[in-house]
Amino acid sequence: MKNTTASKPSDLVREYAVETYVSPARRRRERTVSVNVGTVHKALQLGNRVPLVCSALESQKFLNENGLRLVSKVGPPSGQSTTVTYTYELVTKENKDQGVDRQDAWNRLRGALKDVFAELGGGENYLRNERANFYGPGKDR
């Protein structure tokens, strides 16, 4: 573990978690990895900084920089305890990119439907006409 005195405690927590849990799990080609707050807190000898460890391990910075997705958080309702255990899915770059591509596809589709509804006088007008003509002329209700 890099030992820089200028690092913030939260950075040290994230760095320790990556070097001790995430990187070895990736090398073993595991799909998930679990990290216990109490174990990290004790190893770094932080002294009554459990909330800091919890915050660092569930931060977007930690998840994004390491290609992780938080799958579960097990522990007491407060979520601030040495018994809290986080389980992460190790997301590959391809999986992350695929999620972006799917969102782009949805946005393009949504834009196309926007134009269709505009041609029909808007979404509300379209629904109103569909309801009025649902049974069609001469059909029983």
Side-chain angles (χ1 to χ4, degrees):
M1 182 170 97
K2 300 176 211 163
N3 193 2
T4 57
T5 55
S7 292
K8 294 187 262 181
S10 55
D11 291 334
L12 292 174
V13 169
R14 288 188 284 265
E15 197 175 288
Y16 178 82
V18 169
E19 292 179 7
T20 307
Y21 299 100
V22 177
S23 293
R26 282 198 192 280
R27 283 192 297 273
R28 292 188 301 264
R29 299 183 188 276
E30 294 176 358
R31 296 185 66 152
T32 62
V33 62
S34 295
V35 180
N36 175 266
V37 171
T39 305
V40 173
H41 186 264
K42 184 176 181 179
L44 293 176
Q45 300 174 352
L46 292 173
N48 297 325
R49 303 293 302 270
V50 172
L52 173 123
V53 175
C54 292
S55 295
L57 292 177
E58 62 184 296
S59 69
Q60 284 301 310
K61 180 177 181 178
F62 180 63
L63 299 175
N64 294 336
E65 287 180 357
N66 299 293
L68 301 173
R69 186 176 70 83
L70 184 59
V71 176
S72 70
K73 176 181 177 180
V74 179
S78 70
Q80 306 286 307
S81 167
T82 55
T83 62
V84 171
T85 299
Y86 296 98
T87 301
Y88 307 96
E89 178 183 11
L90 301 170
V91 182
T92 62
K93 180 151 176 44
E94 295 82 32
N95 289 348
K96 286 169 58 176
D97 290 345
Q98 182 181 22
V100 171
D101 291 343
R102 287 177 35 187
Q103 184 63 42
D104 288 344
W106 168 249
N107 288 338
R108 286 192 306 274
L109 178 62
R110 189 171 165 218
L113 293 174
K114 178 182 171 188
D115 295 338
V116 170
F117 283 127
E119 290 175 16
L120 298 171
E124 287 298 319
N125 189 47
Y126 169 77
L127 290 173
R128 194 176 309 113
N129 287 334
E130 285 296 308
R131 288 182 187 122
N133 297 316
F134 183 74
Y135 290 103
K139 296 195 178 187
D140 292 336
R141 290 187 177 210

